[in-house]
Each structure stands twice: as C-alpha cells, then as structure tokens.
Amino acid sequence: MRNASILSLFVAALVGSVAQAGSAARDNPHYITNRAPLAAKPYTELPIGAIEPTGWLRRQLEIMASGMTGRLDELYPQVVGPRNGWLGGDGDGWERGPYWIDGLLPLAYILKDRTLIEKVRPWVEWTLTHQTEDGYIGPVPFEVRPTPEPGIQKSPRRDWWPKMVMLKVLQQYYMATGDARVIDVMTKYFRYQLRELPKTPLGHWSFWGNRRGGDNLLVVLWLYNITGDGFLLELAELIGEQTHPYTEIFLERGDIALHRYEQGVNGASAFHCVNLAQGIKEPVIYYQLHPEEKHLRAVKKAFADIRKYHGQPHGLYGADEGMHGRVLTQGSEFCTCVEMMFSLEKMLEITGDVAFADHLEKLAYNMLPTQATDDYMARQYFQQANQVTCAMHMHNFFDHTTDGVVFGLLTGYPCCTCNLHQGWPKFVGHLWMASADNGLAALVYGASKVTAKVAQGQTVTITEETCYPFSESVRFTVSTSAAVTFALHLRIPAWCGDAKITVNGRPFGGNLEAGRIARVERPWSNGDIVELTLPMTMRTERWHENSLSIERGPLVYALRIEESWTAHEQYREVQPTSPWNYALLEANLKDMDAAYTVAMGDVAALEPWNLRNAPITIKTKGARLPHWQLYSGMAGPIPWSPQGRQDNWPIEDITLVPYGCSTLRITAFPTVR
Ligand SMILES: [Zn+2]
C-alpha cells in the first residue's frame, strides 16, 4: 500500500496514546471500558489499527478501497461532493455524507492508506472546526432551502439523526488517532443536546432521531468512560426517555409481528427494516445505565419474534422498507445488513453472548459478501433468499418495485450506496477485543493479526491464520518479548458440538461446550501456538411453507445457478442459464453425510465470494418441480413441503455453494417425499 511503512509507525504510536485514555476505567485499564456506575462489560473494542486483516479479508478491504468505498466522491459527487453540507456547502446536509465516512474512515485507517485518510480528513476537520458557540455541530441550519441538485433530501438541517452518524465517525477518528479535539467538541455538543432536547426532542424533526437514539446513547456513554463528566449520565437518561421504548415494545406489544401499514393494538405499528436493525441494540446499550435483566430478555425475545414472523434463512428478515414477512422472495436491504452487524458487534461487547457472535458471522459470511459486485462498484438495494433473476421488473415490494434487485450505484434508494461501507471494516475491527480480565478475545474468526496490551500492560501480537469460514481450523501464534500470563478467550459456536483446542500440541482441558466461550489462561511464551478446530457438520432449518435450508458450520448453502450478467448504462442485470426449480429429497435428510457430498476447493482463495472461486461445494440430488415457475420476475410461490413425488419429476444431480458465493440462488427449498 501507499506509504504504508511510514504510516504504520504513525498509527502504531497513536494506538498507544488512545489506550491511555481509558486508564481511569475500572476494568481493563489499557482500553476504554465502562466506569462506575455503568455496568461492567466483559469485552471492549481495540483502537483502530490494532487489528490487521490478512488473507481474503485484507483483499476484500483493498477491493473496497479501489471500488465504491474509496471513490464515492467521484461516483456520487452531487451528494458527497464538495457542496455537501458537512463540508460547509449548500448541498445535502443529511445522513449520506456521514454514512460514507462512517465506513471509509475505518477502512482508511485499517489499511493505513494515506490517500483515503486524506479523503476522510476534510469531513472530520470541518465538523471539528465549525462548531457554533452554543455547541451545535454539522451543516449550518436553515429550515427551507432550494434544492441544488435533483434527488437531494430537503430535510431540516437541525435534525438530530444525521449528527448521530457523525458522532460515530468522530468516535472512530479518536480511536484511530487519539485527537483530543474530539473530546472537547463532543463534550460541548452533548451539553448543547442536554439544553435543547427538552425543547426539541430526538423525534422533533424526524422520526429517525427517535427510532435511532441508541446510536446517540452509545457515544454519550463512550465519552463518559473517557471523561467521567456527570452531566453525560443525565443526558444518557434523557436520550433513553426520548428514544422509542424498545424494551417495553419488544416485551409487551406485537409490533414485530406486523407488516407495513398493518395496525396493531395498544399503539403497535410495524417496524421500518433499518430502524429495527439499529434500534434492536438500544435496550442493551441502555442496560449499561440500568442493568435490569428485562432489557436483555427483550432483545432475545425480539430476535425470536423476528425469526417467527419475518425470518429468512440468510439471518435477517423480509422487509422492503416496512417489515414484510417470511415469503422467500421478500427483499432485505443492504443498510439492514450492515446496521444489524454493527448492533451485534456492540451487543457482543456488552454481554459476551455467543448467540450475537454466531449471528454476526452469519451476516458477515453469508449476506454481506453477495449484495455488492466483486469489483465493489455496484450493489443491490434488496437481496432475496430465493433470488433467481436480478432484472428490471415489477416485484412484490412495497416500494422500489422495478429496480430493487438489480446491481447499480443508485438503484432502489441511495441510502445503501452511502451506508454499506461500514460492514467489512467494522467487522474487522471486532475480530479481536480486549477482555475485562486484561486478556484478549477472538469471538468471531477471520485471518488477522492483533497487537494489543495484556496483563499489566505488556504488548503482545497474536497472528490468527485460518481460511475460516471455509476451513475448520484456526491457528493462533503468540509473539511476545517476555513470558506473560493472560487469558485468551475463544468462542465455541452454538453449531459446533465437537470443538477441540490444543496448546503447543497438547489438548486444552477446559470447557469446550457449544455456545460458550473457552478461556485459555496460562503463561504465554514467544512462539506458543493454539490450534482451534471447529468441526462443521450439516444441519437443516425450516422456513416459510415448511421449506428447508442447509447449513454447515457458519455457512448457509444455496443452489448453484449459472449466471449471465448484462451491463446496462445505469445497472447490471443477472439472468439464470441453468434450472432453479428443484426440491430436496426428504429421504436424504436421514443420513445427510451419505447423501450430501462435501468437496473442498481452494479454501485459501483471495477472492472467494463468487461461483468461479467457491471454496466449498456440496453435491446432492434434487427433484425438478415443473409446476414451480417464474412469477413477477421472481421465483413463484414456493410449493408446500413435503410434496408427494410424481413420476414426471426428474431426479437430477445438483450442486450447492456457500450463499455468499451466489448471486442467483435457491436457499430455502421445497422438499419431496
Ligand atoms: Zn439503505
């Protein structure tokens, strides 16, 4: 990378200074973690730059740097160009500029890419240097203004919501650089919020502010952990009061069950898909202020209800803007994916709940790779679990009916164009976390190298070598200048009943139960090796109309459908060139190891997320269902399972590939007896 060696020294020096900031915190003294009276949290994020991705993960970030993420200002200048309000211009002053920087900033600092860091700088600098006397940050407020370019949002510039995104940007900027101006500007802004919110609550200018207050809250608590300013707790309470009451709604009302425009009882109303992905973490963020068990229970119930009423085999839900049920051709928005990932990352830190880590990997290793093109120059607004064409056509979506599933820069709706960038960089940023016992935790797995402080402050490096999620083994090598005792926390996924850990070749004797975190504490010496083995077995899940999906380890599998791509001026469409209307055979479920043959390809592929390079394939038999055909540009209504087999339904060899490698796919299959 450009000037990587000079810059890495620069970033390495700053990692040390960021670490100092949390030294007053009561748990891990090396990093920013909760101070009293906030509830202690088991894990906390490391400074940006402490974790370096390697293997395909690094390649993925490099592709983003040369694709949309690194070049959005050239590709979408009418909104994120120099006239943007967050750069002092008269253009868009809403969420989209901050959205882009929310992903570009961590990407730039993880890759230590000087060109990208320079692109980020004006956005951060303008915000830091244009705070008003009374503490307001962001675009100069004017309530009604001419629209300088078509398609730009005419939203009130005082709206609290876009500031919440910029707060996340500033927080990350501090975590990457240690720039103390962030602390001063945030403190002043939060005093402004404390004065103004009673008059103009979070939802005053837009309902986004009310629904997404959890994002505001998490930055307030983060700053409190650094400064200990008591007024921040007062503000946190106020934000908690003014945010949509998620805990009560999840526990006591039926909002999640509703589809868009359905009216519920007791004021219940359907969720917006992205609001739910962002808002679902609010009870857990708030739990730090008031550690009552009901907040955690509410989120668990919410996930169960989402699964029940809208659940899809890829790990999210059917929702085209509003929640839209379990039908397997209902879309899932790109923003929903990356916001849910961020929510899971934050909830994992606060709870250490393995279910959140399992879910996070499910999204990162199945949905996230497939919603953008391999060159990261185009993306879908919606992806479908059963997606057999991606073409301009009327679809059964509430909105964006014709261009919802094609790949383009601005097709569907442009929020995703700006917001999608946070997915991979923040995932990389949570591959490793500091643990409350001054150790290190790998709770999601990916090839990487972490350098961090442990024990009494000794710096160690751990190299994580793996082809996960395609391989079952993860090898950790400790590098330290002197022997040091600390705990290495390793997640045992709920899907893995037969995990093994060895330390320098000798079996680890601790608890390796599925769905728990193994804690390997010992005196570590330079060159010590930990081998984690996570055997992956086949399993099934049932979905809409009793359809069946296949999973193996962290990956969901989908029918391999050959793709024909056509580039149009504004978008790319994809058509199938092989049949898709297959059912799986119920008889084959009795002995899946015999009926489903797993073949390993190049698990070390640097660009694994496409059909050409799919590192794992599974061969089995399928029955063609002549009555299951295209309808309205989508796979028609899925036949009820199991179907009684007819003689004219041919049994054929079929191939399954990882969902993330597919563009066209059947993921939930009908079955035949
Ligand atoms: Zn979006």
Side-chain angles (χ1 to χ4, degrees):
M1 294 308 294
R2 289 155 282 208
N3 299 318
S5 56
I6 299 167
L7 207 68
S8 62
L9 291 172
F10 164 76
V11 171
L14 288 165
V15 164
S17 68
V18 171
Q20 294 303 317
S23 55
R26 73 176 183 196
D27 295 317
N28 189 318
H30 313 307
Y31 297 104
I32 301 165
T33 189
N34 283 353
R35 70 160 79 206
L38 301 183
K41 61 177 182 178
Y43 300 103
T44 197
E45 68 184 307
L46 295 169
I48 296 175
I51 302 165
E52 291 176 40
T54 56
W56 72 260
L57 259 176
R58 179 169 198 92
R59 180 78 190 118
Q60 182 66 50
L61 296 199
E62 289 169 352
I63 292 170
M64 291 176 70
S66 58
M68 268 186 291
T69 310
R71 297 177 48 199
L72 199 64
D73 50 344
E74 301 157 36
L75 300 166
Y76 194 29
Q78 63 272 36
V79 167
V80 298
R83 285 175 68 176
N84 188 284
W86 287 93
L87 297 170
D90 63 347
D92 193 272
W94 197 36
E95 64 191 10
R96 291 185 206 165
Y99 263 167
W100 175 42
I101 305 303
D102 191 34
L104 180 64
L105 190 151
L107 180 81
Y109 283 95
I110 289 169
L111 291 179
K112 303 174 174 54
D113 183 320
R114 189 171 287 272
T115 305
L116 297 186
I117 289 172
E118 287 306 316
K119 275 199 191 199
V120 167
R121 192 184 305 278
W123 296 82
V124 173
E125 284 299 320
W126 191 88
T127 303
L128 290 179
T129 56
H130 286 76
Q131 188 167 32
T132 63
E133 267 310 299
D134 63 353
Y136 177 86
I137 60 168
V140 181
F142 45 80
E143 306 306 332
V144 181
R145 63 193 177 82
T147 304
E149 299 281 347
I152 288 179
Q153 283 289 324
K154 284 192 267 187
S155 65
R157 287 181 162 210
R158 283 190 184 274
D159 190 352
W160 296 110
W161 151 239
K163 275 76 173 176
M164 298 178 192
V165 187
M166 187 51 82
L167 289 171
K168 290 193 296 171
V169 169
L170 295 178
Q171 177 186 4
Q172 293 184 91
Y173 176 68
Y174 182 84
M175 294 298 278
T177 67
D179 189 332
R181 292 178 300 164
V182 169
I183 306 303
D184 297 338
V185 167
M186 275 192 188
T187 299
K188 200 168 163 187
Y189 176 68
F190 288 144
R191 287 194 188 280
Y192 171 82
Q193 275 205 300
L194 188 59
R195 284 196 310 275
E196 294 297 318
L197 282 177
K199 292 173 273 180
T200 54
L202 290 176
H204 179 80
W205 283 291
S206 76
F207 92 119
W208 310 110
N210 165 272
R211 298 301 196 271
R212 300 173 178 182
D215 288 61
N216 201 150
L217 182 60
L218 75 88
V219 183
V220 171
L221 298 182
W222 174 83
L223 186 66
Y224 173 74
N225 287 328
I226 294 174
T227 67
D229 271 342
F231 87 90
L232 293 168
L233 296 180
E234 206 182 322
L235 176 61
E237 296 289 357
L238 188 58
I239 290 172
E241 281 166 29
Q242 292 191 359
T243 302
H244 203 48
Y246 286 101
T247 295
E248 288 67 31
I249 285 171
F250 290 159
L251 288 176
E252 295 160 22
R253 290 203 329 211
D255 298 46
I256 287 180
L258 300 174
H259 289 203
R260 184 163 186 147
Y261 290 138
E262 282 181 346
Q263 289 299 315
V265 293
N266 302 327
S269 62
F271 277 104
H272 178 272
C273 56
V274 186
N275 283 349
L276 183 56
Q278 281 186 256
I280 199 165
K281 67 178 169 297
E282 196 272 346
V284 177
I285 305 294
Y286 188 77
Y287 169 86
Q288 299 174 96
L289 268 176
H290 297 284
E292 296 169 46
E293 177 271 343
K294 68 175 180 180
H295 300 299
L296 307 182
R297 184 159 40 90
V299 171
K300 294 298 230 185
K301 179 170 182 294
F303 277 120
D305 285 346
I306 290 170
R307 168 79 164 79
K308 180 175 176 185
Y309 296 109
H310 310 275
Q312 302 266 350
H314 48 50
L316 281 177
Y317 37 87
D320 30 73
E321 301 277 339
M323 303 298 281
H324 205 156
R326 303 171 74 225
V327 171
L328 296 146
T329 47
Q330 294 314 132
S332 179
E333 188 184 328
F334 210 147
C335 286
T336 304
C337 181
V338 296
E339 290 293 353
M340 184 63 88
M341 286 179 62
F342 181 65
S343 290
L344 290 163
E345 287 156 5
K346 294 298 112 184
M347 293 193 289
L348 179 59
E349 281 183 46
I350 295 164
T351 64
D353 187 332
V354 167
F356 294 146
D358 287 350
H359 198 166
L360 175 59
E361 280 191 355
K362 190 166 206 177
L363 303 187
Y365 291 148
N366 295 282
M367 297 194 81
L368 182 62
T370 180
Q371 205 151 354
T373 51
D374 289 354
D375 60 4
Y376 240 74
M377 287 296 283
R379 92 291 178 270
Q380 290 176 295
Y381 184 50
F382 300 135
Q383 67 170 288
Q384 300 163 298
N386 284 0
Q387 177 170 281
V388 299
T389 72
C390 299
M392 284 288 188
H393 200 287
M394 288 301 293
H395 293 107
N396 193 29
F397 304 144
F398 160 76
D399 209 348
H400 317 289
T401 47
T402 55
D403 62 350
V405 299
V406 294
F407 288 83
L409 182 70
L410 301 174
T411 45
Y413 193 70
C415 52
C416 304
T417 307
C418 299
N419 195 14
L420 63 89
H421 313 284
Q422 65 172 313
W424 284 119
K426 291 185 184 176
F427 181 71
V428 166
H430 289 81
L431 288 174
W432 289 91
M433 293 193 278
S435 57
D437 58 4
N438 299 355
L440 282 170
L443 303 186
V444 291
Y445 299 114
S448 59
K449 190 167 91 169
V450 62
T451 299
K453 291 185 178 181
V454 295
Q456 277 75 51
Q458 292 92 325
T459 298
V460 299
T461 295
I462 301 180
T463 305
E464 177 177 353
E465 294 167 281
T466 182
C467 295
Y468 194 87
F470 308 110
S471 70
E472 298 177 337
S473 66
V474 190
R475 177 188 171 101
F476 303 92
T477 305
V478 177
S479 174
T480 176
S481 57
V484 56
T485 299
F486 66 94
L488 178 63
H489 298 234
L490 300 174
R491 154 180 151 266
I492 310 300
W495 49 258
C496 188
D498 193 20
K500 290 179 187 63
I501 292 176
T502 64
V503 180
N504 297 330
R506 304 173 67 162
F508 165 71
N511 191 343
L512 295 175
E513 203 180 315
R516 298 178 63 103
I517 293 170
R519 192 169 167 279
V520 187
E521 184 171 30
R522 66 191 298 279
W524 298 97
S525 299
N526 192 45
D528 280 351
I529 291 172
V530 176
E531 302 252 22
L532 168 69
T533 309
L534 299 170
M536 298 176 184
T537 51
M538 307 273 296
R539 59 192 195 280
T540 61
E541 294 274 350
R542 292 282 177 174
W543 304 97
H544 184 58
E545 299 286 22
N546 204 32
S547 58
L548 188 84
S549 69
I550 304 286
E551 297 186 23
R552 181 179 175 277
L555 298 180
V556 179
Y557 283 80
L559 177 71
R560 180 184 174 112
I561 301 174
E562 302 305 322
E563 307 160 359
S564 169
W565 288 71
T566 307
H568 300 272
E569 197 176 341
Q570 299 294 335
Y571 65 93
R572 306 179 206 180
E573 72 168 79
V574 194
Q575 294 288 356
T577 60
S578 63
W580 54 263
N581 52 345
Y582 289 100
L584 298 177
L585 310 179
E586 288 280 341
N588 283 347
L589 301 179
K590 293 188 186 79
D591 183 2
M592 291 188 73
D593 288 337
Y596 289 77
T597 311
V598 178
M600 307 303 286
D602 180 10
V603 294
L606 284 181
E607 295 179 23
W609 300 111
N610 50 55
L611 284 188
R612 191 175 64 256
N613 297 338
I616 302 176
T617 53
I618 298 176
K619 304 275 190 195
T620 188
K621 300 280 185 193
R624 286 282 293 279
L625 302 184
H627 55 296
W628 191 25
Q629 295 292 334
L630 212 59
Y631 167 78
S632 195
M634 308 183 292
I638 191 166
W640 166 255
S641 295
Q643 301 261 294
R645 189 177 160 219
Q646 308 296 306
D647 290 340
N648 63 340
W649 297 357
I651 304 289
E652 299 175 6
D653 292 328
I654 60 171
T655 301
L656 309 181
V657 293
Y659 182 101
C661 301
S662 71
T663 299
L664 303 180
R665 62 183 81 94
I666 294 296
T667 311
F669 293 82
T671 63
V672 296
R673 275 194 211 96

